[in-house]
């Protein structure tokens, strides 16, 4: 039986709980590491080396899943938290399903890219790959979805955050441009995949 045309969920402007929860987890992990280091139980440098990605090391592949949770200092954590909050909230307008897809894909592509091409004897940590994944999907969703609102959102993000794209290129010492680049490419991939497999539609506003 036909129920007439369907419409996508309309955003309500609320911050996605998944984004807030992930940011809270980053802060909890950072504070816990500082406490353990202060007590002399686990030096901060040791935890960074253990949970960070060591490129080219087969025994380090599992750290692709832990490295996004580790940050070098408060400035690193604060910067990523703000970016995750802003960009993650915009990605979340498409629904929690897309937010999770983009987060997972960009984290995996960023980590694998670092592991494959970053210099050996370096350690890479931080959620910047996910941040650039969000940027990638926001800039390319309009191209792949070809819906007026998606195109407008992509153009707005290009105007507001377009300068961040420079972060995918080498240039700043101590910054993992490899993670930025592959995270961004993961976001572009996610934009293509989610456009091909859109979330279920509904004729009701989301609560």
């Amino acid at each position: 039986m036909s129920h007439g045309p369907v419409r996508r969920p309309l955003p309500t402007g609320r911050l996605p709980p998944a984004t807030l929860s992930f940011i809270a987890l980053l802060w909890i992990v950072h504070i816990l590491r500082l406490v353990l280091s202060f007590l002399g139980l686990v030096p901060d440098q040791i935890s960074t080396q253990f949970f960070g990605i060591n490129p080219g090391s087969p025994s380090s592949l599992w750290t692709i899943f832990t490295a996004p949770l580790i940050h070098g200092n408060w400035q690193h954590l604060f910067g990523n938290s703000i970016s995750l909050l802003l960009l993650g909230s915009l990605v979340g307008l498409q629904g929690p399903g897309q937010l999770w897809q983009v987060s997972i894909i960009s984290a995996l592509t960023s980590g694998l890219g670092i592991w494959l091409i970053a210099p050996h004897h370096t350690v890479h940590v931080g959620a910047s790959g996910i941040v650039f994944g969000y940027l990638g999907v926001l800039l390319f969703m309009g191209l792949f979805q070809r819906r007026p609102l998606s195109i407008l959102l992509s153009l707005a993000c290009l105007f507001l955050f377009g300068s961040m794209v420079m972060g995918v290129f080498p240039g700043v010492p101590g910054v993992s441009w490899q993670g930025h680049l592959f995270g961004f490419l993961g976001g572009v991939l996610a934009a293509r995949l989610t456009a091909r497999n859109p979330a279920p539609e509904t004729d009701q506003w989301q609560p």
Side-chain angles (χ1 to χ4, degrees):
M1 182 174 62
S2 175
H3 294 281
V6 294
R7 298 190 297 273
R8 288 192 170 276
L10 296 177
T12 61
R14 287 164 48 178
L15 295 175
T19 300
L20 296 176
S21 298
F22 182 62
I23 294 172
L25 177 61
L26 298 183
W27 282 73
I28 291 171
V29 169
H30 192 72
I31 292 172
L32 180 60
R33 289 176 57 231
L34 292 180
V35 170
L36 293 176
S37 178
F38 177 78
L39 296 175
L41 299 176
V42 181
D44 189 59
Q45 184 177 2
I46 297 298
S47 64
T48 300
Q49 293 175 348
F50 183 76
F51 292 107
I53 300 173
N54 296 274
S57 171
S59 62
S60 177
L61 266 174
W62 65 274
T63 59
I64 289 173
F65 301 98
T66 60
L69 304 178
I70 308 297
H71 289 79
N73 50 49
W74 286 110
Q75 181 180 3
H76 189 199
L77 174 63
F78 186 77
N80 276 346
S81 296
I82 294 298
S83 298
L84 287 168
L85 184 63
L86 294 176
L87 298 179
S89 297
L90 293 174
V91 175
L93 293 177
Q94 295 287 308
Q98 177 158 341
L99 181 62
W100 279 110
Q101 279 187 286
V102 176
S103 300
I104 293 171
I105 292 173
S106 57
L108 290 177
T109 56
S110 174
L112 286 173
I114 290 171
W115 191 87
L116 287 171
I117 73 169
H120 292 194
H121 309 297
T122 58
V123 180
H124 299 249
V125 296
S128 299
I130 299 176
V131 169
F132 275 81
Y134 290 167
L135 179 65
V137 75
L138 288 169
L139 293 182
F140 280 83
M141 64 192 306
L143 175 64
F144 293 129
Q145 295 181 6
R146 299 185 181 180
R147 296 199 302 267
L149 288 178
S150 297
I151 294 172
L152 286 175
L153 182 57
S154 289
L155 292 175
C157 289
L158 178 62
F159 176 76
L160 294 172
F161 308 111
S163 61
M164 287 179 60
V165 175
M166 297 305 297
V168 306
F169 300 107
V172 181
V175 173
S176 180
W177 64 269
Q178 299 93 342
H180 294 176
L181 172 62
F182 281 89
F184 183 83
L185 294 177
V188 176
L189 173 63
R192 185 69 183 95
L193 293 176
T194 53
R196 184 178 299 172
N197 302 293
E201 296 183 329
T202 178
D203 60 354
Q204 296 180 350
W205 287 50
Q206 292 295 300

